[in-house]
Amino acid sequence: MISVQDKIRTQIERLPKGELLLPADFSELGSSEAVRLSLFRLEKEGIIVRVAQGIYVRPKESNLIGKMLPTAEEVAEAIAKRDRIRTVPAGSYAINALGLSTQVPMNIVLLTDGSPREIKVGKRKIKFKKTTPKNLLAKGKISRLVIQALKEIGNGKVSEEEEKKVVDLLKKEDNKDLKHDIALAPVWIQQVMKKALSDGKN
């Protein structure tokens, strides 16, 4: 009889290297305890690497730097998927994600409807902060970032260059989503976002 561990090993070996692995991915192969134990043993064997609690990877290999582990951003995405929670980047992380700053923040701050917690990935931290449902209602991938990034910069502190960049980015957003999201933003942010609706796109 093939053990749960061997079944998991076979499944992992079929997957592309670098893909994040969650215990839930193997739930059909055995009980949650058997899966957890098998992943723990496969980690000890060096088949997979644990990157955060309950998240593993079969790392890609590079001739230059050896094992390549997933980024904290990829881990944050996997956690949101695993826990079926909604998230939206906030703070300096949202500013960086929009390209308004080249400085990569050490902390990834995500507003969520899930439970608040902090997860360490290498030298970086992922902070899940509980927020009100309103903050998670934005539909547009760009506009949801814009609302949080401008909140972080602050009213009256947004430079002309930053505003121009934001408006140019928002012009790529789906018009329907943009109009929906403008209604969710504070009034001063609405004024910036509305500039993306002009140019005959109303």
Side-chain angles (χ1 to χ4, degrees):
M1 222 172 103
I2 304 168
S3 71
V4 172
Q5 189 173 324
D6 288 337
K7 285 179 190 170
I8 290 176
R9 187 200 303 264
T10 304
Q11 193 162 315
I12 288 171
E13 284 167 355
R14 285 194 195 123
L15 294 168
K17 283 186 176 182
E19 197 161 307
L20 289 167
L21 312 163
L22 311 174
D25 299 336
F26 310 103
S27 56
E28 290 171 11
L29 303 179
S31 69
S32 56
E33 184 57 29
V35 168
R36 195 183 61 77
L37 205 56
S38 300
L39 290 170
F40 174 74
R41 286 178 182 150
L42 290 169
E43 183 202 351
K44 288 277 178 232
E45 283 179 39
I47 307 288
I48 55 176
V49 174
R50 192 177 88 126
V51 288
Q53 193 177 350
I55 299 173
Y56 299 85
V57 70
R58 182 173 165 229
K60 290 177 182 174
E61 297 279 348
S62 155
N63 294 334
L64 292 171
I65 54 171
K67 285 180 180 174
M68 292 166 67
L69 295 175
T71 63
E73 285 83 356
E74 288 167 332
V75 173
E77 216 172 281
I79 292 168
K81 181 184 152 192
R82 180 192 70 188
D83 297 352
R84 294 186 178 88
I85 54 173
R86 288 182 300 167
T87 61
V88 62
S92 53
Y93 178 47
I95 294 172
N96 174 260
L98 270 181
L100 296 180
S101 159
T102 52
Q103 204 172 342
V104 177
M106 286 305 288
N107 293 338
I108 290 177
V109 179
L110 294 163
L111 301 180
T112 180
D113 54 358
S115 42
R117 69 201 121 144
E118 207 170 277
I119 291 154
K120 209 166 183 298
V121 180
K123 289 178 181 173
R124 297 176 76 194
K125 279 182 191 164
I126 304 167
K127 288 184 176 182
F128 288 93
K129 287 175 84 171
K130 187 86 172 165
T131 190
T132 58
K134 187 184 175 183
N135 281 325
L136 299 161
L137 290 175
K139 291 179 179 177
K141 278 193 170 172
I142 299 166
S143 49
R144 67 209 288 259
L145 282 175
V146 164
I147 294 170
Q148 297 305 326
L150 294 184
K151 275 185 186 176
E152 178 67 12
I153 295 168
N155 191 359
K157 294 179 184 172
V158 181
S159 69
E160 276 182 39
E161 192 188 340
E162 285 169 336
E163 186 174 303
K164 187 186 179 301
K165 200 164 187 179
V166 161
V167 172
D168 286 345
L169 284 167
L170 286 172
K171 283 178 182 172
K172 297 172 189 170
E173 190 69 272
D174 181 283
N175 222 31
K176 199 164 80 216
D177 288 347
L178 179 54
K179 283 179 178 175
H180 170 274
D181 295 350
I182 285 172
L184 300 169
V187 175
W188 70 273
I189 294 178
Q190 288 186 16
Q191 287 164 354
V192 174
M193 294 174 80
K194 279 176 182 170
K195 290 178 184 178
L197 286 171
S198 52
D199 302 348
K201 282 181 76 179
N202 292 344

